């Protein structure tokens, strides 16, 4: 499947580039497209250009302005349900949780 507006492409934003690359590799092994992002702004741009899944860690969100992503999620069609996976460390305690 070619990436497009409603593609099955995953976009990944993790602070550790090696972890992001490993996550992308696992997704690609299952036959899906996956891209890593170096910043939240990159992730949002990738989501806006067409993705089916975002993988984000709570560490990546701690100092990020989530407003643009929240706006994009709120602007989805009512039938849409964009998949977002938030990775949280078991011992993590934050306001985002």
């Amino acid at each position: 499947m070619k990436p497009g507006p409603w593609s099955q492409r995953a976009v990944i934003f993790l602070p550790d580039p090696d972890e992001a690359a490993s996550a992308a590799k696992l997704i690609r092994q299952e036959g899906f497209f996956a891209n890593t992002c170096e910043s939240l702004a990159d992730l949002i741009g990738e989501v806006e250009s067409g993705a089916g899944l975002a993988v984000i860690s709570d560490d990546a969100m701690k100092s990020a302005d989530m407003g643009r992503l929240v706006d994009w999620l709120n602007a989805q069609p009512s039938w849409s349900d964009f998949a977002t996976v938030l990775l949280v460390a078991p011992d993590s305690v934050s306001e985002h949780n």
Side-chain angles (χ1 to χ4, degrees):
M1 173 182 221
K2 193 174 193 178
W6 311 112
S7 77
Q8 295 182 18
R9 182 172 63 111
V11 291
I12 303 162
F13 178 41
L14 304 175
D16 182 321
D18 292 334
E19 288 180 4
S22 293
K25 182 179 177 182
L26 288 172
I27 292 168
R28 289 183 192 122
Q29 286 175 343
E30 294 303 316
F32 297 97
F33 292 92
N35 297 88
T36 60
C37 302
E38 294 182 14
S39 69
L40 184 62
D42 289 345
L43 178 122
I44 294 166
E46 292 292 326
V47 166
E48 290 174 342
S49 69
L53 166 70
V55 179
I56 309 167
S57 73
D58 65 335
D59 285 342
M61 293 174 39
K62 284 182 181 174
S63 61
D65 178 6
M66 301 299 292
R68 188 169 153 206
L69 181 59
V70 170
D71 290 345
W72 184 86
L73 291 168
N74 287 333
Q76 294 180 92
S78 60
W79 52 263
S80 182
D81 192 14
F82 183 74
T84 305
V85 176
L86 177 60
L87 303 175
V88 180
D91 58 348
S92 176
V93 178
S94 75
E95 293 178 25
H96 288 96
N97 293 347

